[in-house]
Amino acid sequence: MAGSSSAKLGHSVAKVLGIKLQYRNPTGKGDLSRGESVFSVSTADTYVEEEPTTGEWFRDLLPTRKELLQYGYSLFPFTHWISRYNVQWLTGDLIAGITVGAVVVPQGMAYAQLAQLPVQFGLYSSFMGVLIYWFFATSKDITIGPVAVMSTIVGNIVSEVAETNPDIPGHVVASALAVIAGAIITFLGLIRCGWIVDFISLAAISAFMTGSALNIAVGQVQNLMGLSGFSSRDSTYLVVIHSLQHLKGTKKYDAIIGLTALTMLYLLRSACNFGARKWPNRGKTFFFLSTLRTVFVILLYTLISFLVNRHHREKPIFKILQTVPRGFQNAAVPRIDSTIIKSFSSQLPASVIVLLIEHIAISKSFGRINNYTINPSQEMVAIGVTNLLGPFLGGYPSTGSFSRTAIKSKAGVRTPFAGVITALVVLLAIYALPAVFFYIPSALLSAVIIHAVLDLITPPNTIYQFWRVSPLEVIIFFVGVFTTIFSNIENGIYATIIISAAVLLYRVVKAQGRFLGRVKIHSVIGDHHLDDGGFEKGRSNANDPDSSTRNIFLPFEHNDGSNPQVVVESPYPGIFIYRFSEGFNYPNANHYLDYMIETIYKETRRTNPNSYPKLGDRPWNDPGPRRGHAAPDHSNRPTLKAIILDLSSVNNVDITSVQHLIDVRNQLDRYAAPDRVDWHMACINNRWTKRALASAGFGFPAPDVDSPTFQRWKPVFSVAEIGGSSSAAAAAEYLENQQELRRQRTRDVEQQARSTSRSNGDNITRETGSMTSSTSDDLSKELGNSKAYTKNLGATSRVAVVHGLNRPLFHVDLTSALQSAIANVERRGDADPKGVGTLEG
């Protein structure tokens, strides 16, 4: 009663406001059912598809209580596995954690120099990164801490602030940047916007990594060779030029330390790789030796530095780190004000992008390698919280490290808890090793940086594979690399992302639709058809998906790579099948439909050639032939009857695209007048798309122009059996009952034989035989009367339509759409002669 009252109230309000509830409904009826059709299968169930409602949309959008609880649970992934932690997992985490800790300590100090900060800030960032991340991690392999690219960006910001606001310490700026960037990323992760990263293509990421590696490596040549007199923060090409110009000012001891250390790092890695190939059974040993080569080289050259400079602490022979404070000397609440934020606001977007793409790309890659799936949104939360809390102990922006993640993965890490082990190693270094750090040569740290970042350069073979897949994206790759070299890292990032987005938009806008034709194909195994023998013999129904002979639909131009020698036939004279290739929305709707109309006009003729009795009646864009010339003869072309749209690639439509479709329908109706063009929609995979198209008048035939009432049509519905003999359960039951029948007959025969041997009279034999016959006949009769085996025993099975009866021109596939289109054309009796004016491949 309440529902009826609300409906009446709604209708009254609509009438007052002038809202047409039956807008563009050609039948003028609210619901269509099979009463308007000729579909009459006595065993079929009626199904009228209901449209989705606005309330349903809101219910799908708003989370339920259960989903809210799951959301809260998902924010702390460690609770999913920590209760099942065991000794075997701990062993793997100990080995991996200690191994990564031995690498992160020297790398953290080296990257702090890139950030124009004292080396202890690299240790602070390393400690907080690995300690916090494991609480929120969905990747067991990622190691968060200082990385080369982010450190370079921080160094650029610190250098600029030092010039404009020299009273603000560099570490204060770096900490404020970490807090602001961390807050932005945390927010994106909490609202589950991890999909944003998917807009950054692999070509853009590779260009960013390659250009950044070249920029960083070239910038470290100054410290490696002991050069001075120019800035290593200039564009890469300028740094190369200035380095060559100042080679005469090389400090020989710094150069000796740097070059020999860099050479030793590569020699040790090559030797370990050779040993692993030579003795595969000792591959794990060589892996750990290769991993610890950085630690070995640093210890070796630190010892050399100690021996050389122990009597020259005030004036060392070559540049060394000197005093490194013990403990967390810079632990404090980060200072954030408008002056500091304004100083790095222009580089904040690049900082956020670098933090995201490096971490997410690495975590996805290692997740695929090690057979697990990460949650990008949750990884955003992990990065964000790490950068929010890290500055309280002096940390600067941190993200996932490729080199340390690879080492951690190969070391056999089992869970994210390995980060706690790494944190303990870093903590030990912060409190126990500052005296050793005093003698570490600066050129040695530059060698470590160059050795680490050169592995980030995309190798030529990978670029060649990119070229094989998409040549255009290789051009984008080189644009990003050269922009980084001749400008800076930030501009390289923006260039690749903007160009990639422009290419994506162009592909969407200029999506090319395809006209399809029909081809009959045969399945062949070896040198014979499947129909040649066995249980497949005789199955030649072209509409049976299990048949070896069936119809498929291919583009006439063969631009899908199909064999050009295969002749693609027209579906039917005057019937066109058109496939959308990239979705159907407002950017590409006009391009799609313009091409469709142009082709239809070329392949058909106007239904009424005398629609313009006078010359002045013709439109200016169709003025007709010149005076004294006859109009071209298009009588061999068919008239337009129907259009079938393949919507298999369309997930959503919008107002603009549907309005374009309505306009084209009206245009083609005028072209085909006095007839109407039937529009069939195949492979619709979204209920909201159906609702949008139905509200625009698609989904059922339009009434004839001259008919005041709605006429009946001849739909072709796709039906499927409900359970019955074709279901798996029925087939299994049927087989089991058949076996039981055979077993019963065998027992009856054996019983009859035993009874015959024991009996001396014929009466017992007759009685047993009668019992046997009766039992077998009863079971056979039961099987025969069972509705589950109607197909096997010849009865009619129960079926139901797949799509709603109220939308007879929405079809499950192209085959049923074509059958329906042909049936209605032939019902009207206006079919053109077959073979005349057809498209051919």
Side-chain angles (χ1 to χ4, degrees):
M1 187 67 181
S4 177
S5 300
S6 61
K8 291 181 179 179
L9 177 61
H11 289 168
S12 301
V13 172
K15 187 174 182 179
V16 171
L17 297 177
I19 298 175
K20 298 178 181 179
L21 298 180
Q22 299 299 326
Y23 178 63
R24 286 188 178 126
N25 187 342
T27 67
K29 300 181 180 181
D31 295 314
L32 294 180
S33 65
R34 67 183 182 190
E36 288 81 24
S37 74
V38 296
F39 180 63
S40 57
V41 177
S42 60
T43 57
D45 279 359
T46 299
Y47 170 63
V48 176
E49 183 177 354
E50 296 183 1
E51 291 184 347
T53 63
T54 306
E56 182 180 341
W57 184 83
F58 278 110
R59 285 193 296 271
D60 292 338
L61 182 66
L62 298 176
T64 62
R65 180 179 179 183
K66 181 180 180 181
E67 290 172 338
L68 288 174
L69 293 175
Q70 290 177 342
Y71 170 77
Y73 183 53
S74 68
L75 291 177
F76 302 97
F78 78 95
T79 57
H80 303 178
W81 52 266
I82 194 66
S83 60
R84 292 179 289 277
Y85 201 79
N86 53 67
V87 175
Q88 188 173 353
W89 288 2
L90 178 61
T91 303
D93 289 345
L94 276 173
I95 296 173
I98 294 173
T99 304
V100 173
V103 176
V104 73
V105 170
Q107 280 193 354
M109 293 190 296
Y111 293 152
Q113 286 193 326
L114 279 177
Q116 300 293 298
L117 299 173
V119 294
Q120 65 266 24
F121 289 95
L123 297 177
Y124 301 157
S125 300
S126 301
F127 173 76
M128 291 299 288
V130 293
L131 180 65
I132 298 173
Y133 174 70
W134 79 277
F135 282 99
F136 307 96
T138 61
S139 170
K140 69 180 179 64
D141 300 297
I142 281 287
T143 300
I144 285 188
V147 296
V149 181
M150 192 66 236
S151 297
T152 302
I153 293 177
V154 172
N156 294 336
I157 295 173
V158 169
S159 299
E160 291 178 7
V161 174
E163 296 177 359
T164 57
N165 297 283
D167 56 323
I168 303 178
H171 68 87
V172 172
V173 178
S175 296
L177 175 63
V179 171
I180 299 301
I184 294 173
I185 296 173
T186 301
F187 173 74
L188 293 175
L190 289 175
I191 63 175
R192 292 314 196 227
C193 283
W195 48 266
I196 291 178
V197 185
D198 295 333
F199 282 97
I200 303 176
S201 66
L202 179 58
I205 295 174
S206 299
F208 151 72
M209 300 293 284
T210 300
S212 301
L214 292 173
N215 180 286
I216 294 166
V218 170
Q220 288 303 301
V221 172
Q222 185 181 40
N223 285 335
L224 186 79
M225 304 292 291
L227 304 177
S228 59
F230 64 94
S231 173
S232 62
R233 298 285 165 180
D234 292 334
S235 298
T236 305
Y237 80 101
L238 290 176
V239 175
V240 172
I241 294 173
H242 293 158
S243 298
L244 295 175
Q245 290 174 342
H246 291 79
L247 275 180
K248 59 183 179 181
T250 300
K251 296 178 181 178
K252 61 179 180 180
Y253 293 112
D254 290 275
I256 291 172
I257 291 290
L259 292 175
T260 55
L262 183 60
T263 303
M264 183 173 292
L265 285 170
Y266 278 105
L267 288 176
L268 288 174
R269 186 172 72 173
S270 299
C272 291
N273 291 340
F274 175 79
R277 292 192 302 269
K278 186 74 173 178
W279 298 282
N281 57 331
R282 297 186 179 274
K284 201 73 172 178
T285 302
F286 284 109
F287 161 73
F288 283 108
L289 290 176
S290 178
T291 299
L292 297 175
R293 67 185 182 275
T294 303
V295 177
F296 170 74
V297 171
I298 287 180
L299 291 177
L300 174 62
Y301 280 84
T302 302
L303 176 60
I304 294 173
S305 176
F306 168 73
L307 296 175
V308 172
N309 293 311
R310 59 181 174 171
H311 300 302
H312 306 279
R313 290 174 60 92
E314 300 299 326
K315 295 186 63 175
I317 295 177
F318 45 81
K319 188 178 179 180
I320 58 177
L321 293 183
Q322 296 187 341
T323 303
V324 177
R326 187 187 307 274
F328 296 95
Q329 298 296 322
N330 297 92
V333 176
R335 173 188 164 190
I336 301 175
D337 55 42
S338 58
T339 303
I340 296 177
I341 295 176
K342 189 180 298 183
S343 66
F344 59 71
S345 59
S346 62
Q347 301 196 36
L348 183 59
S351 302
V352 172
I353 291 173
V354 170
L355 289 174
L356 285 178
I357 63 176
E358 196 163 357
H359 181 97
I360 302 298
I362 294 169
S363 58
K364 282 185 177 180
S365 175
F366 280 90
R368 286 189 290 266
I369 291 173
N370 296 309
N371 195 30
Y372 63 86
T373 303
I374 67 144
N375 183 344
S377 297
Q378 183 59 29
E379 289 297 313
M380 284 183 172
V381 174
I383 305 169
V385 173
T386 299
N387 285 283
L388 276 173
L389 300 182
F392 286 87
L393 289 184
Y396 69 90
S398 303
T399 188
S401 165
F402 178 81
S403 59
R404 297 194 294 271
T405 298
I407 291 171
K408 189 176 181 181
S409 177
K410 292 181 181 178
V413 63
R414 303 303 300 273
T415 71
F417 187 75
V420 177
I421 311 300
T422 302
L424 294 176
V425 175
V426 177
L427 188 65
L428 178 65
I430 290 173
Y431 280 96
L433 300 180
V436 178
F437 296 156
F438 183 94
Y439 291 99
I440 294 179
S442 296
L444 173 62
L445 293 182
S446 294
V448 170
I449 293 173
I450 293 173
H451 181 64
V453 300
L454 287 182
D455 290 337
L456 301 179
I457 296 177
T458 305
N461 182 61
T462 302
I463 299 175
Y464 174 72
Q465 297 301 326
F466 287 172
W467 178 265
R468 295 284 298 171
V469 174
S470 177
L472 181 59
E473 290 188 272
V474 174
I475 297 175
I476 297 175
F477 169 83
F478 281 112
V479 168
V481 172
F482 286 124
T483 302
T484 303
I485 292 174
F486 290 97
S487 181
N488 53 47
I489 295 175
E490 295 87 341
N491 290 339
I493 294 171
Y494 296 145
T496 52
I497 292 177
I498 291 173
I499 296 174
S500 297
V503 170
L504 174 63
L505 184 60
Y506 178 83
R507 287 172 173 170
V508 171
V509 171
K510 292 296 184 180
Q512 186 66 53
R514 307 294 182 195
F515 281 94
L516 307 181
R518 183 165 52 180
V519 175
K520 180 175 288 189
I521 64 170
H522 307 268
S523 298
V524 176
I525 294 181
D527 58 351
H528 64 279
H529 292 109
L530 288 180
D531 287 349
D532 287 350
F535 63 91
E536 297 285 353
K537 186 173 181 179
R539 298 179 63 177
S540 58
N541 183 4
N543 297 323
D544 184 357
D546 297 323
S547 174
S548 64
T549 302
R550 59 193 184 278
N551 288 324
I552 63 170
F553 299 90
L554 296 177
F556 286 100
E557 301 88 352
H558 293 283
N559 44 26
D560 60 342
S562 56
N563 191 344
Q565 295 179 346
V566 175
V567 177
V568 180
E569 299 177 350
S570 173
Y572 193 87
I575 296 178
F576 294 84
I577 302 177
Y578 190 64
R579 172 179 291 166
F580 298 117
S581 59
E582 294 268 357
F584 183 58
N585 298 100
Y586 70 91
N588 55 27
N590 195 59
H591 183 72
Y592 269 134
L593 299 179
D594 282 351
Y595 173 70
M596 185 184 75
I597 294 172
E598 179 185 357
T599 304
I600 289 175
Y601 280 177
K602 287 180 180 179
E603 300 295 336
T604 62
R605 58 180 169 86
R606 189 179 291 275
T607 303
N608 181 11
N610 300 317
S611 55
Y612 302 124
K614 297 180 181 180
L615 182 62
D617 294 337
R618 303 187 70 93
W620 66 271
N621 60 332
D622 184 18
R626 293 181 179 274
R627 293 185 183 275
H629 293 76
D633 183 17
H634 297 316
S635 59
N636 62 324
R637 297 181 184 178
T639 57
L640 179 61
K641 301 295 188 304
I643 296 174
I644 301 172
L645 296 182
D646 182 356
L647 301 173
S648 56
S649 64
V650 177
N651 190 46
N652 290 288
V653 294
D654 49 46
I655 296 174
T656 306
S657 59
V658 172
Q659 185 60 50
H660 276 303
L661 207 56
I662 293 169
D663 295 339
V664 169
R665 179 181 63 186
N666 295 335
Q667 179 181 355
L668 293 180
D669 279 344
R670 290 192 295 269
Y671 176 74
D675 295 337
R676 286 291 183 94
V677 180
D678 290 338
W679 290 76
H680 299 259
M681 308 291 173
C683 308
I684 305 176
N685 50 31
N686 186 296
R687 293 177 64 210
W688 286 96
T689 300
K690 287 184 180 180
R691 167 176 158 158
L693 293 172
S695 67
F698 296 97
F700 36 76
D704 294 335
V705 177
D706 300 329
S707 177
T709 60
F710 191 76
Q711 303 296 319
R712 296 169 67 89
W713 68 91
K714 187 176 182 180
V716 175
F717 293 104
S718 297
V719 299
E721 295 183 11
I722 303 178
S725 59
S726 61
S727 67
E733 184 182 355
Y734 179 78
L735 180 60
E736 182 179 354
N737 286 337
Q738 289 286 358
Q739 293 173 348
E740 178 62 27
L741 177 60
R742 286 193 293 269
R743 287 194 296 268
Q744 181 67 37
R745 287 174 174 170
T746 301
R747 287 195 295 269
D748 291 344
V749 170
E750 293 176 351
Q751 184 177 358
Q752 180 182 5
R754 288 194 297 269
S755 299
T756 302
S757 63
R758 290 194 301 266
S759 175
N760 294 325
D762 294 337
N763 292 333
I764 300 178
T765 302
R766 292 192 201 96
E767 185 177 343
T768 304
S770 176
M771 179 186 66
T772 301
S773 177
S774 176
T775 303
S776 300
D777 292 342
D778 289 344
L779 187 55
S780 297
K781 185 180 297 184
E782 181 181 350
L783 291 173
N785 293 332
S786 174
K787 294 182 179 179
Y789 315 110
T790 54
K791 185 175 180 179
N792 298 74
L793 300 176
T796 303
S797 59
R798 190 174 183 81
V799 297
V801 290
V802 177
H803 281 237
L805 295 172
N806 54 329
R807 299 289 181 253
L809 300 191
F810 287 167
H811 306 281
V812 68
D813 59 7
L814 288 175
T815 300
S816 60
L818 181 58
Q819 290 172 344
S820 178
I822 294 174
N824 281 278
V825 168
E826 294 180 345
R827 179 194 64 81
R828 293 198 300 260
D830 55 358
D832 292 303
K834 292 187 178 181
V836 178
T838 59
L839 286 167
E840 294 293 341

